[in-house]
Amino acid sequence: MHLTLFGQKSAGLLAFFLFLFCLPVLAFGELSFDAVKGMDWMLNLSDYLMGETPLNDPVETGDLSRPGQYLLQYDFGTVITEGTMQPSRGCIAEATMETSKIADCLGFTVGMNIEAIGDARILEPLYPLTLISMQQEGIGWMWVYGKEGHPYGIEWVSYQMEEEKATEVTLTYTVENQVIKTIRIKQTPMTREEAMGNLESVGEMNQAQSSQAKVIKNQEAAFSSADALLNNESLLSVEVYRIIARLGEPESVQSLPGSQGRLLLYPGAVFSCNLEEMTGVERIDALTVASDAYTGPRGIQVGMTLDAVAALFRSDHTISSAGGTLYQEGRNQGQLVRYDAGEETLIYRAGEQEREIVFEMSFREERMISWRIYTEPTQE
């Protein structure tokens, strides 16, 4: 059984709640950390350690750069005391757990998988420092340290506010292969002004990162051949006369060089047709649309926003403006490709036995300007 040390929560100052309501706020799950909870945990830990003997001699580990601080080593890890070499109530400035003997104020121990935190966003950080959430209760935030999409650290930061002073309390996990390796909790005194400056900076970071997230992870179905629709009716391989029956006669018809088929030109849409030599039947093999008069796969239309369109199709990851792979399963794939600033393309592929169906949507300033759907031979 682990020794779990919990404290009590208290309300923050009204002025700070009003300040925080002005910041963008992300959802913060049932699991939350606040400064008072962390400080109470440290008080309880100091009470517990008054009955324990350090493994080292604190006289030998006095911090010369910070007079009055001492490092004490125990079987679970280390603590740094302030003003005393003997643990007493309220003496702990910092504690680090390196074994699973003692749980932190959230009930986590070294060796636990971070999936237990309950927020999938921590498993795939978008940035070297990814802000996961800001919270009003407890006045603080949570962020993840990442490298190449993998977390190596998780940190909660919260403040206890007074008239002119503040105490910053941090709870930090180092992570390896999604497993907690160490847990550190630390309290740092500062001015109220410094705390406010930190909160404002993180609020700006929240706005910047929120604007850079282009596609949000979801559980929608992947694009498939069943999605190859025009105005909710089948499109690819449909006989040309059926399209004309639906839309009327085209404005004009152009023959492609080398007997490669024809183009049917409608207002805001171009159909590519191919004549099957074996059957003599002319069928549709591609369509390009630049008008909101037509709907495509899953009801998409020119003019829709990038985030609204992407939410209709599967994405296994949250993707930033840099682009990336949304999902990959055999020959079925989704990608966000960035060509220039303000211009992106969503590309979905559905592989069949002898062909691939490709669905491309082009965006400018995050508004769809055109979409195209076509087939191409399977790449072996």
Side-chain angles (χ1 to χ4, degrees), residues 323-339:
T325 299
L326 308 176
Y327 64 88
Q328 177 78 57
E329 195 171 88
R331 285 157 46 208
N332 299 316
Q333 183 187 65
Q335 286 185 307
L336 174 65
V337 179
R338 183 183 184 188
Y339 294 104

Side-chain angles (χ1 to χ4, degrees), residues 205-282:
M205 178 181 178
N206 184 11
Q207 289 180 318
Q209 292 192 357
S210 296
S211 66
Q212 291 173 5
K214 301 301 183 182
V215 181
I216 305 300
K217 181 178 180 179
N218 63 52
Q219 296 182 333
E220 297 296 325
F223 173 76
S224 71
S225 58
D227 290 310
L229 302 176
L230 173 67
N231 296 344
N232 292 319
E233 296 189 63
S234 296
L235 170 65
L236 296 179
S237 299
V238 171
E239 298 94 328
V240 168
Y241 78 88
R242 295 184 182 275
I243 293 295
I244 295 176
R246 290 188 214 166
L247 303 179
E249 292 292 334
E251 288 188 329
S252 63
V253 178
Q254 295 181 3
S255 297
L256 296 173
S259 300
Q260 295 183 17
R262 299 189 302 162
L263 297 180
L264 307 183
L265 279 64
Y266 287 84
V270 178
F271 293 84
S272 174
C273 314
N274 183 51
L275 182 65
E276 295 178 350
E277 295 183 2
M278 297 293 293
T279 63
V281 176
E282 191 177 25

Side-chain angles (χ1 to χ4, degrees), residues 45-52 54 72 74 79 81 84-89 91-92:
L45 178 62
S46 63
D47 290 345
Y48 165 73
L49 292 180
M50 284 191 284
E52 300 291 316
L72 283 64
Y74 294 92
V79 299
T81 60
T84 178
M85 290 182 288
Q86 299 296 324
S88 59
R89 185 167 179 79
C91 72
I92 296 177

Side-chain angles (χ1 to χ4, degrees), residues 58 61-71 80-85 93:
T61 57
D63 192 332
L64 298 178
S65 64
R66 288 172 291 183
Q69 288 196 350
Y70 300 89
L71 186 144
I80 294 177
T81 60
E82 187 80 50
T84 178
M85 290 182 288

Side-chain angles (χ1 to χ4, degrees), residues 106-213:
L106 299 180
F108 286 90
T109 66
V110 169
M112 292 181 68
N113 195 294
I114 60 174
E115 288 184 341
I117 293 174
D119 192 326
R121 293 173 296 173
I122 67 175
L123 304 178
E124 297 177 338
L126 285 174
Y127 313 100
L129 184 58
T130 301
L131 184 65
I132 300 298
S133 56
M134 296 191 70
Q135 61 188 91
Q136 292 166 349
E137 181 180 2
I139 312 177
W141 65 85
M142 172 191 182
W143 52 22
V144 176
Y145 299 87
K147 183 177 182 180
E148 298 179 349
H150 300 285
Y152 64 86
I154 300 172
E155 187 167 72
W156 286 265
V157 183
S158 185
Y159 295 92
Q160 183 190 37
M161 309 304 305
E162 298 178 22
E163 279 297 320
E164 299 297 332
K165 299 186 297 182
T167 301
E168 180 185 79
V169 184
T170 57
L171 175 63
T172 308
Y173 301 163
T174 60
V175 176
E176 185 177 322
N177 297 325
Q178 298 189 7
V179 174
I180 299 172
K181 304 302 290 184
T182 65
I183 299 174
R184 185 187 70 180
I185 186 165
K186 179 180 181 180
Q187 55 182 331
T188 304
M190 60 180 57
T191 66
R192 183 176 184 271
E193 184 179 1
E194 288 173 326
M196 282 289 290
N198 291 343
L199 287 164
E200 289 174 342
S201 296
V202 174
E204 293 171 0
M205 178 181 178
N206 184 11
Q207 289 180 318
Q209 292 192 357
S210 296
S211 66
Q212 291 173 5

Side-chain angles (χ1 to χ4, degrees), residues 339-354:
Y339 294 104
D340 293 298
E343 295 187 3
E344 296 94 8
T345 299
L346 276 172
I347 304 174
Y348 297 98
R349 293 178 178 271
E352 296 188 328
Q353 187 171 0
E354 297 180 354

